Amino acid sequence: MDDVTRSWEILPLAVVRPTGFPTDLLAALADPALLDLVDAARADRSALDAVADAFEQASREAPRLEDADQLRAARTAYRAVKRRRAPAEPPLLPAGMPGFRTPEEFARWWSTRCRARDTHLAALDARYPQTLDRARRHIDTALRSPRLREALVLLTPEILGTTVAALLKRPPTGPAPNQNERKAAAFLQRLAAKCETNAFAGPIAYAEVGQALPWADTAPVRRGHLAFWAVQAVLDRALDRLAPGDLGWRTGPAAGLLPADSPVLRAVRQAAAGRAGAIAPATLRTLHRKNLLWATRLLAPTSEPDALRLLRTAATDLDDTDLTALAALLTTTAAEFADADADGKTAAVARTTALLTDHGVDTERRGKGQLYADRVVLYEEDHDPGFRVRFTEAGAARLFGRLDPVLDLAAAAGVEAWQLARKRFTHAWRQQFGPTAATASLPEVLRTIPVSTPAPLAQTGVGRRFQGLVQAAWDGASTEVVLDPADVRAILPDLDDVRAPLLIAPDLHFDSTDRAEVESGRAPVVVGEFHWGFQGLGNLCCFIDDRGALARTTRQWLGHDTHPEELVHVATGARFGKLCYLELLPRTLELSGPAAPGQGRLQAEDIDVHPDGDMVQRSTGQSLMPLLGDAEAATQSPLGPPGCALPRVSLGALTPRITIGDVVVQRAAWQLEPGALQPPDGARPAGRYRHTVDTLRALGVPRRLFAAVQGERKPVHVDLASPHLVELLLAEAKDRPVRVTEMLPTPEGTWQRSEHGRHLCEIRFSARRRRRTDQTTDEPGTVER
């Protein structure tokens, strides 16, 4: 056994994200025998094509026939072969035709293969409507299920009154899935094949990684939430009716952008000094809404997952009867929403909308043009400890020992992109402030220089070398390339001299049916998305009530880091839907929003920025690094830590699965041009299905896949044995490029179980790279490869 150098420190808490519905929900849409018939007919056609090519080649090379009867017989045989039809009699074989000794032998083989093809195609035509009918009955049953109807309300409330109502009122009988059926199939695949966090349709559980965490061992719970934007709007309306002199004014972050002699800045300072009464109430309200001056009793930190908690706190602090009554009503309604069925949830949303409208919140305006996740009034989160995972200490070490070169690859690509962003920042700095300027205030920098820049990881030197490594190991046809971890390490720079913390939040899948194999760190690993920074430490941790324990654990995890910069949170004034990041570190930079209560607050005007992007608190001299960055590392901030993720390899029409050691880091993918899947005009439903599936199978695409269509936010899952899902793919892909990726793990590789069946699952970990000074080597024999 080998010694394992542990380059990465793993946070003891991870988030488990299973699908809310079992894979059986999709299995009933599929008919594997239908796919077998497509494959059998294609095999027949391929065999006929190969022999026909040889026949045509031999015919072209054979001496010209002089006898008229032989010439006529040869032409008849040639037409039959060309059309892939059985000849009426044994054909005249051209001289040099390989593989057959007599015309009779050729005729027997050719006719048998043609009959087999025709039999398979006829069976396909007969089976397609039967498969369609069975799938339709399954969809009908599913759409009548109270649990699934409740899940649909959570995803898209209006669907029950439109698509679902239409399908149940008049069950479809047409020869192919219609638009409503495709929509229903789209929701089913989302519920059973996507690890989305959405109440019981995508519950949350927690994993202990190497040590017990009693504070994370929470009970099962359903919790209703009011949208954060709704609370912001309620507090904003309260600002209009409350006496502004009693709201606890303090300077807002936008004030740091004002010129020193600005009269607005004088008013801000006057109010913050306790003399708000001398300023017109309308002016105070305007200053608050522009983030120049804040009414502290009406602030809503975006880091709080439970917006209702913010509303209740504000109502109590203000001792405002109206706000207190509204907060109580909304809290009760949100709880009823969580416990209700589909109809009850719909009614709770209607009551909440009416309450907010009565208090001046324009929910209609909010909903228009917004992504769904950012416009719902109520949503729900569920904690299901039945999906809880406990990695042993040895298992965690074994797992991340295997992942070590993978994480280093992601870090190296991110660091290079980040360093490029810092060079660009320095160039812009010199142009803006001159070659001799040593510092500028953070507000000056934010006002004049971009602090986020696109930096595709695949275009870094590391990304190009990694792609070259894959190309060199690939034969151009197979669907998997396995790389030696040592070869990957050989293309990476030394990361120990990087002047920034390296933080990654990887989503990992385990291709296993054995939970014990997963928890011991031995299960096959498939890497999902890599996220930047603290992506697992936000709204996904909403069921951990002891945030003090979570904060202490997080700080201890970071505490061994020898970097001189203090990592600080960044508070903004808006957030996307329910996505937020807990403030677990001691201090927060109030960039455009307020810090959480009890946090050490950093003001932008007290921070200086150096030409290389380094930041220092002017009053203390402390080096700072704000947690600024893009979740997917598509852009880099020169002021924050590097955004680290795996560089995507793209090799054209086919990119093989890429495995480093025994860890799959990129699934096999096929790039299809617009229209590549579209069947011929006028094709019958079974023919449309066969053409689409045949096209994909001829490329080597497996039965189960994900299809990312240009212009769509998320890929759709397709089972090629399902006519409904194939029609969904055709509708989505029409006239647009499509990137098809193998599904891995498949439903056969599921290790999570519930009373409902088998569930797909991913786990989001948090990892920090150690520097050489704090890396450790496990004792020999403690970790198995």
Side-chain angles (χ1 to χ4, degrees), residues 150 195 382 432 483 555 640 649 734 783:
E150 185 182 347
C195 297
D382 283 34
Q432 179 65 37
L483 302 177
R555 295 176 191 184
V649 172
K734 186 176 182 180
V783 178

Side-chain angles (χ1 to χ4, degrees), residues 233-250:
V234 167
L235 295 178
D236 187 67
R237 297 286 76 80
L239 179 64
D240 289 328
R241 64 178 180 78
L242 296 172
D246 301 329
L247 298 179
W249 298 95
R250 69 179 175 90

Side-chain angles (χ1 to χ4, degrees), residues 691-764:
H691 173 89
T692 305
V693 173
D694 213 23
T695 300
L696 291 168
R697 298 292 268 181
L699 297 174
V701 176
R703 170 183 164 181
R704 296 182 178 90
L705 57 95
F706 284 95
V709 179
Q710 188 178 76
E712 298 295 329
R713 289 185 60 245
K714 294 189 176 182
V716 295
H717 166 66
V718 179
D719 183 338
L720 294 181
S722 165
H724 280 87
L725 292 174
V726 170
E727 282 291 338
L728 174 64
L729 171 61
L730 279 174
E732 292 284 321
K734 186 176 182 180
D735 299 326
R736 293 190 287 180
V738 182
R739 187 173 188 268
V740 169
T741 306
E742 64 174 328
M743 183 184 192
L744 192 70
T746 65
E748 289 74 28
T750 52
W751 53 277
Q752 286 279 25
R753 303 284 191 276
S754 77
E755 60 181 310
H756 303 289
R758 303 176 301 167
H759 298 255
L760 297 168
C761 181
E762 69 180 21
I763 302 180
R764 182 168 298 176

Side-chain angles (χ1 to χ4, degrees), residues 78-107:
Y78 188 87
R79 284 194 296 270
V81 170
K82 188 78 172 175
R83 296 169 182 172
R84 307 302 190 264
R85 296 286 182 245
E89 57 186 33
L92 182 66
L93 290 181
M97 173 65 186
F100 301 95
R101 290 170 295 182
T102 66
E104 290 76 15
E105 182 183 359
F106 174 84

Side-chain angles (χ1 to χ4, degrees), residues 179-486:
Q179 183 178 12
N180 283 328
E181 291 179 85
R182 294 197 301 269
K183 286 184 179 179
F187 279 100
L188 296 189
Q189 63 87 26
R190 187 173 169 185
L191 291 169
K194 304 280 191 68
C195 297
E196 297 183 357
T197 304
N198 193 342
F200 68 89
I204 294 170
Y206 298 111
E208 295 170 327
V209 186
Q211 67 182 70
L213 303 173
W215 45 267
D217 192 10
T218 58
V221 62
R222 285 183 150 198
R223 188 172 294 166
H225 291 265
L226 182 66
F228 180 82
W229 63 262
V231 169
Q232 280 187 314
V234 167
L235 295 178
D236 187 67
R237 297 286 76 80
L239 179 64
D240 289 328
R241 64 178 180 78
L242 296 172
D246 301 329
L247 298 179
W249 298 95
R250 69 179 175 90
T251 303
L257 301 176
L258 296 172
D261 58 352
S262 167
V264 175
L265 183 58
R266 287 198 297 272
V268 167
R269 289 172 174 170
Q270 183 180 4
R275 301 192 300 276
I279 302 173
T283 300
L284 290 173
R285 294 179 183 119
T286 299
L287 294 175
H288 174 86
R289 287 169 178 146
K290 291 183 178 294
N291 284 337
L292 292 162
L293 181 69
W294 277 342
T296 57
R297 293 182 175 184
L298 295 176
L299 292 178
T302 57
S303 61
E304 173 53 59
D306 187 357
L308 277 167
R309 175 187 290 186
L310 297 173
L311 186 59
R312 291 191 298 267
T313 299
T316 301
D317 188 38
L318 291 164
D319 195 22
D320 181 79
T321 303
D322 185 67
L323 204 59
T324 299
L326 176 62
L329 278 171
L330 290 172
T331 299
T332 299
T333 307
E336 292 171 350
F337 175 85
D339 292 333
D341 60 9
D343 292 337
K345 279 180 163 54
T346 302
V349 169
R351 291 197 303 274
T352 301
T353 301
L355 277 172
L356 293 174
T357 301
D358 289 344
H359 283 76
V361 177
D362 187 353
T363 57
E364 287 297 321
R365 183 189 64 79
R366 177 68 187 188
K368 291 180 180 177
Q370 300 286 332
L371 292 169
Y372 176 73
D374 201 31
R375 65 180 170 89
V376 292
V377 176
L378 292 174
Y379 65 93
E380 177 188 337
E381 300 286 24
D382 283 34
H383 176 248
D384 188 342
F387 292 107
R388 185 180 182 86
V389 182
R390 291 180 171 88
F391 289 91
T392 64
E393 184 175 1
R398 182 180 296 112
L399 172 62
F400 280 88
R402 295 161 62 198
L403 284 164
D404 202 79
V406 178
L407 295 172
D408 273 0
L409 171 63
V415 165
E416 185 176 341
W418 175 74
Q419 289 171 338
L420 176 61
R422 282 172 71 93
K423 288 179 181 177
R424 291 173 177 169
F425 177 83
T426 301
H427 178 72
W429 168 284
R430 297 302 186 199
Q431 287 188 319
Q432 179 65 37
F433 300 115
T436 61
T439 63
S441 71
L442 179 57
E444 286 182 289
V445 170
L446 295 175
R447 188 169 56 243
T448 58
I449 302 177
V451 293
S452 179
T453 182
L457 301 183
Q459 296 178 18
T460 61
V462 170
R464 288 192 294 269
R465 291 194 297 274
F466 181 57
Q467 177 149 324
L469 196 63
V470 174
Q471 284 179 302
W474 187 40
D475 61 11
S478 59
T479 56
E480 183 175 17
V481 166
V482 180
L483 302 177
D484 189 320

